[in-house]
Amino acid sequence: SNTDVFPYHSTNQPMVGRWDDGVGMFSVTQGAATVRFLALESGDRLGQVPWETRTFGLSWLQQLTPAAHLETRVWQADFRTTMPRGTDSSGWALDNGARQFGAASQLTVGGTTVGTSLEGMNTHYAVTAVSRPSSDTSTNSRPPLDLRANPTILTAFAEQRWGEGNDRWQAQTGLRATGLLGGTLFLEPRLAVGVRLSNALTATIGYARTHQFIQSLRNPNAPLSTLIGIDLPVAAGSGGVPVAQSDAITAGVTAQMGSHVRLALSAYVRQLAGIAIADPTSSALFAGRGFDSTDGRAAGVGASLAGEVGGGRLTWQMTYGVGRMRYSNPAIETLQASTMSQAVTASLAFHLDHLTQ
């Protein structure tokens, strides 16, 4: 969410797409310990661009004292796609895949949380069967891309929370140090402040710096780009792929409309640096012979309406968001300045009992 800048989680989100094939989750509680297991599988094996993802996760939550608990998580996420020659007009074929696996642990005592994580990646992005596409004469002298990397990411963080749920003022501050093993260390400060304007109205504002070690070389300007709906991951450090940085300022207002309905409005402004992009003047679906690095600026607004019926047995939520992206590269600016993205989601959940939903 654009307004929730805490808590710290994995450095990169698991690369999963539509939940088409299956979702499984169960939890077991014994005394002060809770263990949860999650398995997700999705993909599209019959479409023009076949792809699949699998994600597995295990978490263990141990209540040490009434004011302290320890949480440990392990996970693995896999993604794979193949685009045969003739998928678009470029004449290129692509074999792209990524695996993320890691472990993280965090200790919370009162309003203080400290933690660390170790994450490994294995990515490959291999372009083959390259013809001489007339749409990409500017990069025709370059060899096909073959990007492979096995980076390891180390992260440590600390955060402090002031105020409780019913207090008029609440604040959270945090600092995370993260980076590739043997590479540059990046510092990520964060700050969030909330104020209860009335019993039914709360306002928040926050700032967060983040870094991303996996980027996508899908061309958003290609005619087929919006139809496949997946990213094409490459890891930082492979073939000059940079580490992307984001500085975001967020603001939001939440209003309780009666006892069963809640309305939330949010907005964000994000300054971006080190974005890897495919050639925007090409009609190819993905970067074939090279890519560029640029800076950018993003902004957006969103609204969410949520409620419950029957004492919480039936819950629902509807969201709408619109955003706009601008790049600092003049050639890209010409194509992207007037382009806006929109998203609409709706969800409904029915709770059968205290163990099933």
Side-chain angles (χ1 to χ4, degrees):
S1 135
N2 291 323
T3 55
D4 294 336
V5 297
F6 291 90
Y8 293 112
H9 291 301
S10 169
T11 305
N12 297 280
Q13 296 285 347
M15 294 165 294
V16 290
R18 298 185 295 269
W19 315 126
D20 296 337
D21 297 336
V23 178
M25 182 178 69
F26 69 84
S27 63
V28 177
T29 300
Q30 180 65 41
T34 301
V35 178
R36 294 184 176 91
F37 175 76
L38 175 68
L40 308 173
E41 182 179 8
S42 61
D44 183 356
R45 299 179 179 88
L46 302 178
Q48 188 172 5
V49 178
W51 60 272
E52 61 181 350
T53 71
R54 291 183 178 89
T55 301
F56 303 95
L58 183 67
S59 71
W60 171 49
L61 179 64
Q62 179 71 46
Q63 195 72 37
L64 304 177
T65 69
H69 65 267
L70 176 67
E71 182 178 3
T72 302
R73 295 175 291 115
V74 294
W75 67 89
Q76 177 176 306
D78 295 275
F79 167 82
R80 182 72 183 272
T81 184
T82 55
M83 298 187 186
R85 183 175 179 178
T87 301
D88 57 19
S89 60
S90 67
W92 299 331
L94 174 67
D95 183 10
N96 181 216
R99 168 170 289 182
Q100 295 173 255
F101 50 92
S105 184
Q106 64 182 47
L107 173 65
T108 300
V109 181
T112 303
T113 301
V114 295
T116 184
S117 68
L118 176 66
E119 183 173 6
M121 302 181 194
N122 187 330
T123 65
H124 69 272
Y125 182 99
V127 179
T128 57
V130 181
S131 66
R132 188 179 179 85
S134 59
S135 62
D136 197 26
T137 57
S138 62
T139 60
N140 221 17
S141 61
R142 303 180 187 177
L145 287 174
D146 189 357
L147 307 176
R148 302 173 188 272
N150 300 278
T152 300
I153 301 172
L154 294 173
T155 300
F157 75 89
E159 69 181 41
Q160 179 66 45
R161 183 183 74 250
W162 288 272
E164 301 298 332
N166 295 325
D167 293 346
R168 176 176 173 80
W169 288 91
Q170 298 181 51
Q172 290 175 300
T173 59
L175 181 66
R176 180 168 65 176
T178 185
L180 298 175
L181 186 65
T184 303
L185 182 67
F186 301 97
L187 296 180
E188 299 178 343
R190 296 187 177 190
L191 171 66
V193 178
V195 57
R196 186 177 298 278
L197 303 176
S198 68
N199 290 334
L201 190 64
T202 303
T204 60
I205 187 170
Y207 163 79
R209 167 171 289 186
T210 57
H211 293 86
Q212 184 169 314
F213 298 91
I214 284 188
Q215 301 209 48
S216 174
L217 292 184
R218 177 172 61 91
N219 184 2
N221 297 293
L224 291 176
S225 180
T226 57
L227 298 179
I228 63 171
I230 58 173
D231 289 326
L232 303 177
V234 291
S238 57
V241 177
V243 176
Q245 177 178 300
S246 168
D247 288 280
I249 297 176
T250 63
V253 176
T254 301
Q256 189 69 35
M257 305 171 64
S259 58
H260 302 294
V261 178
R262 183 177 68 256
L263 174 65
L265 305 176
S266 62
Y268 70 91
V269 177
R270 184 176 291 118
Q271 187 68 38
L272 306 169
I275 307 170
I277 54 170
D279 182 2
T281 63
S282 171
S283 62
L285 183 57
F286 52 88
R289 295 185 181 273
F291 59 91
D292 296 311
S293 177
T294 187
D295 299 337
R297 186 180 181 88
V301 295
S304 172
L305 189 65
E308 62 179 42
V309 180
R313 291 186 66 87
L314 181 67
T315 58
W316 55 270
Q317 184 178 40
M318 297 181 294
T319 64
Y320 170 77
V322 57
R324 186 173 185 175
M325 178 70 188
R326 291 178 178 268
Y327 295 104
S328 61
N329 188 313
I332 305 172
E333 181 79 12
T334 302
L335 295 173
Q336 296 286 342
S338 60
T339 300
M340 302 182 73
S341 61
Q342 300 183 68
V344 179
T345 63
S347 63
L348 185 68
F350 182 72
H351 299 258
L352 300 177
D353 53 45
H354 69 285
L355 295 177
T356 309
Q357 66 178 17

